[in-house]
Amino acid sequence: VASTNLRALTSWVGIARLSAVVLSCLAFSLVASTGKFGGPYGTWCMFSWCFCFAVTLLVLLLELLELYPLLPLSWDDFTAAFSMLATLMVFTSSVVYPATFISSPCNTNVCARQAVATTASCLCFLAYAVEVSLTRARPGDISSFLSTVPGLLKVFEAYVACLIFSLLDAYSGEPGLMWCVAVYSLCFIFTLLIIIFTVGRCLTYIPCPLEKVLVGYNFVAMLMYLTATILWPLYSFRGQSRPNPCGPSCPWNKHLGITFLTIFNLIAYLVDLVYSTRMVFFRAP
C-alpha cells in the first residue's frame, strides 16, 4: 500500500517543483489561448512547457506516494538530470518565444497574454534553477553522479548538441564541415549513453575504472570540439558576408548560432575535464 510523504510538497525542493508545475501550466495555457504558436519555434516552446509540466507533476506524485523506489532506475540521478534539462529547455523557450512571436508595440489583448506567458516562463526557469541548486551534490558527495558538476555538465553538453543539430543546414561537400558534424554526433552519442547508463544503474557492470575513462573521454571530446571551434567558422563563412536581409531561418545566422554553441560546448567540456580530474586524481582523503 502506498504511503504519503508530505515532505515531497513542503520541502524547499518540493515548493520549487510545485512552482514550476503552476508556472509551466500558466505559460502553455496562455499561449494556447492566443492560438499563435505555429511553426517550429512555437511548437518547440509549447512542447518544452508541456513536457516539463507533465514530468514534474509525475515526479511530485511519485515522491508524494513514495512509489519511486519501485522504479528500476537511480531516482536521484533521474531527478537531477531532468531538473537540469528542464532548466535549459524553459530558458530556451523564454528567449525564443518572445523573440519570435511578440511584436512591438505590444498594445493588444493577445500581446498582453503573450507577455504574461513569457513572464511565467522566465519565473518557471528560475524555479527549475533553484531546484538544480538545492539538489546539487556538495563537494565530496558523489553518491549521485548526475547531481555533481560533471554530471550536470553532461546534460548541458547533450542539450547544446541538440540545439546544434536543430540549426544544421548545408554542410555536405565540405570535408571540414562534415568533420564538425561528426564531432557533434559522436560526442552527443557518448554523452547521452553516459547519462542513460547512470540513470539506469548500468555503469557498475562496465569492467574498467569508470572515473578514469570519463576523464579520458572528456579530454578527447574537448580536443574534438577545439577542432570544430576552429573549422566550423573557417569553412562556414569563407568568402561569405552576411546577406541583407537575413531572417531567423537565414543560413548565415544559423551558422553563426552553431559557432557560438560550439564554443559553449568547448567551454563545458573543458570545465567538465577540470572538475572530473579533480574528483578522480585530487580527491581529499
Side-chain angles (χ1 to χ4, degrees):
V1 179
S3 57
T4 305
N5 174 25
L6 289 177
R7 264 195 64 77
L9 302 179
T10 57
S11 65
W12 286 114
V13 174
I15 292 168
R17 287 172 180 162
L18 273 174
S19 302
V21 165
V22 172
L23 291 164
S24 57
C25 181
L26 180 62
F28 75 71
S29 299
L30 284 169
V31 172
S33 72
T34 66
K36 294 189 176 183
F37 53 90
Y41 295 119
T43 304
W44 164 252
C45 295
M46 283 294 280
F47 168 76
S48 297
W49 294 319
C50 294
F51 173 75
C52 294
F53 166 80
V55 178
T56 307
L57 188 60
L58 182 63
V59 167
L60 280 171
L61 288 173
L62 290 172
E63 291 210 343
L64 178 66
L65 301 176
E66 294 191 325
L67 294 174
Y68 64 89
L70 302 176
L71 299 174
L73 49 81
S74 171
W75 184 251
D76 289 340
D77 283 310
F78 170 74
T79 52
F82 169 72
S83 60
M84 184 63 178
L85 176 65
T87 303
L88 295 169
M89 290 177 72
V90 175
F91 173 76
T92 308
S93 300
S94 301
V95 174
V96 169
Y97 182 76
T100 309
F101 291 96
I102 297 183
S103 56
S104 183
C106 184
N107 51 15
T108 63
N109 180 262
V110 169
C111 188
R113 277 180 281 168
Q114 290 174 325
V116 175
T118 301
T119 305
S121 183
C122 292
L123 293 173
C124 185
F125 155 69
L126 290 177
Y128 280 120
V130 167
E131 183 186 346
V132 170
S133 175
L134 291 171
T135 57
R136 186 171 69 84
R138 299 296 169 252
D141 178 16
I142 54 171
S143 57
S144 167
F145 171 68
L146 291 180
S147 64
T148 63
V149 172
L152 294 172
L153 283 169
K154 289 281 179 288
V155 180
F156 177 84
E157 291 152 7
Y159 182 76
V160 171
C162 288
L163 293 181
I164 290 173
F165 294 144
S166 72
L167 293 174
L168 280 176
D169 203 347
Y171 57 86
S172 58
E174 288 281 8
L177 297 184
M178 292 175 75
W179 162 252
C180 294
V181 174
V183 169
Y184 304 142
S185 303
L186 288 171
C187 292
F188 170 74
I189 291 167
F190 280 107
T191 302
L192 188 62
L193 286 175
I194 291 168
I195 295 169
I196 292 171
F197 283 3
T198 304
V199 172
R201 295 175 178 162
C202 301
L203 293 177
T204 51
Y205 301 113
I206 298 176
C208 54
L210 186 67
E211 296 90 349
K212 293 178 181 177
V213 169
L214 288 178
V215 172
Y217 163 68
N218 287 333
F219 180 68
V220 172
M222 187 203 70
L223 290 180
M224 292 174 72
Y225 260 92
L226 182 60
T227 63
T229 304
I230 297 167
L231 292 176
W232 181 267
L234 186 67
Y235 279 88
S236 293
F237 303 117
R238 186 176 53 186
Q240 291 185 31
S241 56
R242 188 174 187 271
N244 189 18
C246 188
S249 58
C250 171
W252 199 94
N253 278 354
K254 289 183 177 180
H255 289 164
L256 184 64
I258 292 171
T259 301
F260 280 107
L261 290 170
T262 304
I263 294 169
F264 292 158
N265 248 3
L266 172 64
I267 296 169
Y269 277 109
L270 176 61
V271 176
D272 196 350
L273 176 64
V274 171
Y275 264 91
S276 54
T277 303
R278 281 178 55 191
M279 285 173 63
V280 174
F281 297 107
F282 302 98
R283 192 177 294 172

